Amino acid sequence: VQLVESGGGVVQTGGSLRLSCVVSAFGFDRYPIGWFRQAPGKEREGVAVINRSDGATAYRDSVKGRFTISSDNAKNTVYLQMDNLQPEDTAVYSCAASRPIRSVDVSYFLRPYVMDYWGVGTQVTISS
C-alpha cells in the first residue's frame, strides 16, 4: 500500500485548503483511511477518518464543522477539505491506511498507532 499526499501550503486565518491522498492498494475500498497531523513538539493526532466499506466518518472534536473527509473510488483518492483554518491547525498532515478490522467503530482509526501504512506528509501553515 502506498499513499501520496498533496495540497498543503500557506493560507491566512479563516482560509481553506483541500488535501488529497492518492492510495495505491489492491482492494482500496476495504481500507479505512485517515488524516493525521503533527505540530512541532507535539504528538501526532488523528484528525478525520473514513471507513471506505460503508462511508462512515469520524472527526476529532476541534475540527468538527470545519473539516470534511471524503473519498473518490474512481480516483483512489481520499480528500480532506479544511475550512475556517486557524493557526493551531498548523502541522504536517499525513494520510494513513489500516488493514480492515471487523466490529470496531470508525472512530477507532483516529488512533495513529493502529494504522499500518503511511504517506510522508504535506505541510500546512496558517498565518495569523
Side-chain angles (χ1 to χ4, degrees), residues 17-63:
L17 282 174
R18 188 177 78 158
L19 305 182
S20 299
C21 173
V22 178
V23 184
S24 300
F26 176 77
F28 163 71
D29 60 346
R30 297 185 295 111
Y31 290 79
I33 306 290
W35 282 98
F36 299 80
R37 66 187 182 187
Q38 187 168 23
K42 295 188 177 181
E43 293 187 353
R44 180 178 282 170
E45 61 186 20
V47 175
V49 62
I50 186 166
N51 190 348
R52 285 298 304 120
S53 62
D54 61 8
T57 60
Y59 299 87
R60 71 178 300 104
D61 287 346
S62 63
V63 307

Side-chain angles (χ1 to χ4, degrees), residues 78-119:
V78 173
Y79 302 99
L80 183 67
Q81 177 66 42
M82 305 186 295
D83 298 318
N84 191 21
L85 284 160
Q86 302 297 312
E88 55 265 32
D89 295 317
T90 295
V92 174
Y93 284 70
S94 303
C95 60
S98 168
R99 285 183 287 264
I101 302 175
R102 292 186 177 183
S103 302
V104 297
D105 186 81
V106 65
S107 60
Y108 174 82
F109 300 102
L110 284 173
R111 300 167 171 85
Y113 57 84
V114 309
M115 306 306 278
D116 299 303
Y117 309 99
W118 290 85

